[in-house]
Amino acid sequence: MLKELVVMRHAHAVHPSGWQADAQRPLSPTGREDAFAAGIWLRDTCDQPDAVMCSTALRTRETLVQLARAGCLMPTPEFEPRIYEASLGDLLEVIEERIQARPALERLWLIGHNPGLEQVLFHLDAAARLYALPPAGLARLQIDRDARPTDPGAATIATTWMP
């Protein structure tokens, strides 16, 4: 049963160049530094996840690379195209499907984009409205053991990290 959900917004990406597709924007130098720093925080603060789900966008994949460089131990990430440009409903569906596929899942990391990730925070913990999720920002949520993990108010933000 899911006990902890870490949501992380990708680190800062470069602005689009010419006709470059949004999904193909790489991290900026600052973004790489911030993602590495977030990785150090995750490594030192959070237990190893049982699963990592990540958008297919280049900037989220490069964010994951920096987390690994910082020493985060994690299973092979699952790249989910629905996380890119996802609504709250899309993200809750992705989380639910992952939980249903693996009921013993306790710790899940979700790496994606705003506004969807902030909407997940607001949905799961009403107090989250006090937080904005900047590039490379993350929140660690503790899931109420008596709640369905995707129900409104099912979690409490335990800690956050912002660059």
Side-chain angles (χ1 to χ4, degrees):
M1 172 157 216
L2 191 66
K3 295 179 183 177
E4 181 178 276
L5 173 66
V6 172
V7 295
M8 180 178 185
R9 183 177 174 193
H10 64 80
H12 185 267
V14 299
H15 294 289
S17 173
W19 292 99
Q20 179 183 38
D22 180 67
Q24 294 306 314
R25 293 189 301 131
L27 293 182
S28 68
T30 299
R32 286 190 296 276
E33 291 172 12
D34 289 348
F36 186 82
I40 291 171
W41 186 86
L42 283 166
R43 179 196 72 203
D44 294 345
T45 308
C46 298
D47 291 328
Q48 183 175 341
D50 300 312
V52 175
M53 299 195 71
C54 182
S55 163
T56 54
L58 179 59
R59 59 191 176 272
T60 54
R61 291 181 286 133
E62 288 185 348
T63 296
L64 264 177
V65 168
Q66 294 304 316
L67 299 182
R69 280 191 61 238
C72 287
L73 299 176
M74 62 185 109
T76 302
E78 300 170 42
F79 295 99
E80 173 55 63
R82 292 178 295 167
I83 297 173
Y84 180 70
E85 295 186 341
S87 67
L88 171 62
D90 295 331
L91 291 172
L92 294 177
E93 185 176 281
V94 165
I95 293 167
E96 272 294 325
E97 287 174 6
R98 191 65 194 96
I99 292 168
Q100 288 174 3
R102 191 168 164 197
L105 180 73
E106 291 186 0
R107 290 176 191 83
L108 173 64
W109 290 4
L110 180 65
I111 301 168
H113 312 267
N114 268 349
L117 290 180
E118 282 182 350
Q119 292 170 350
V120 167
L121 291 177
F122 301 161
H123 175 81
L124 294 177
D125 181 355
R129 294 189 191 283
L130 303 174
Y131 298 96
L133 199 59
L138 56 92
R140 184 169 57 96
L141 295 109
Q142 296 299 124
I143 308 296
D144 181 343
R145 68 176 180 210
D146 296 325
R148 195 171 132 231
T150 55
D151 282 350
T156 303
I157 294 178
T159 56
T160 61
W161 184 89
M162 310 293 167

